[in-house]
Amino acid sequence: MTEFGFACTGVRADPYAAGPTLVFRLRVTASPEARVHALALRCQLRIEPARRGYDGDEAAALTDLFGERSRWGSTLNPLEFAQVPVMVRGFTGETEADVVVPCTYDMDIASSRYFHALADGEVPLRMLFSGTAFTGAGGFRVEPVPWDKEAVFRMPVKTWREMVDQHFPGSGWIRLPRDAMDALLAYRSREALPSWQETVGRLLDAAGERTR
């Protein structure tokens, strides 16, 4: 069996993607002299929130995910970020490949709320790999890549923010049920409000919740 190793060496926001996308750089190593024709991988990315600290503002913003800080000993559990396929071309010894991760700024998604709550620092990630390896010097041999293959990486929070700002500069969005959206649209039309910002602002004013 060929022994594989994985390490994440960096991450960047893809400025040319149609939607928010992160590109992780993956280094793959194989047993010495082993000929690898291709790797068809599955990569699961998990956020491990217990592997970093949080200031008071961050802790307050994370309350809806993990509860009060006093409960974090039992609630600060890993969050799934993404599952993506990765194809690695043939190599001998070592190679590098991109792990392309489409992202969302939907605040109903736990990972998006987690990223949004962080002011600075790094996001502790774990990348878990499985899949199929096609190897052999004189032909093809099919081997599994077991789930115990993994890599840890600390992604700068600023990389996430750069990615979001490329697509939603200075703004964000929320997903609403159709009936709630219809009611908001009717309210906006009835009040002759020029934008959604004005619409939400008017409602916040009425509730006394506008941030000055």
Side-chain angles (χ1 to χ4, degrees), residues 96-202:
E96 292 194 350
D98 287 337
V99 180
V100 180
V101 180
C103 300
T104 178
Y105 198 37
D106 186 345
M107 297 303 285
D108 281 342
I109 305 300
S111 59
S112 295
R113 299 206 304 276
Y114 177 83
F115 292 132
H116 182 74
L118 303 184
D120 204 352
E122 298 173 326
V123 178
L125 299 176
R126 186 175 299 272
M127 307 171 76
L128 304 173
F129 299 95
S130 67
T132 304
F134 301 91
T135 63
F140 282 97
R141 183 171 67 248
V142 178
E143 303 180 33
V145 178
W147 265 116
D148 63 352
K149 298 303 177 183
E150 59 183 45
V152 294
F153 182 68
R154 303 186 73 88
M155 180 180 74
V157 172
K158 66 178 182 180
T159 303
W160 170 266
R161 296 198 177 278
E162 288 171 0
M163 178 198 70
V164 170
D165 286 342
Q166 287 173 3
H167 296 273
F168 309 108
S171 62
W173 63 276
I174 57 174
R175 179 161 50 94
L176 295 173
R178 182 169 297 174
D179 57 348
M181 194 68 211
D182 289 343
L184 276 174
L185 182 58
Y187 174 80
R188 176 180 172 177
S189 298
R190 186 169 61 251
E191 298 295 321
L193 298 169
S195 67
W196 286 116
Q197 181 176 347
E198 289 292 326
T199 304
V200 174
R202 180 76 66 86

Side-chain angles (χ1 to χ4, degrees), residues 46-67:
R46 293 179 183 171
I47 301 167
E48 298 191 325
R51 289 173 44 211
R52 63 157 283 166
Y54 305 90
D55 63 25
D57 290 340
E58 291 172 334
L62 290 168
T63 299
D64 69 323
L65 284 177
F66 305 121

Side-chain angles (χ1 to χ4, degrees), residues 14-64:
D14 187 345
Y16 305 110
T21 302
L22 291 172
V23 181
F24 294 85
R25 193 63 176 168
L26 182 68
R27 179 180 296 135
V28 184
T29 59
S31 303
E33 306 304 322
R35 177 71 178 113
V36 180
H37 300 287
L39 283 175
L41 298 174
R42 293 181 297 276
C43 177
Q44 181 186 96
L45 290 92
R46 293 179 183 171
I47 301 167
E48 298 191 325
R51 289 173 44 211
R52 63 157 283 166
Y54 305 90
D55 63 25
D57 290 340
E58 291 172 334
L62 290 168
T63 299
D64 69 323

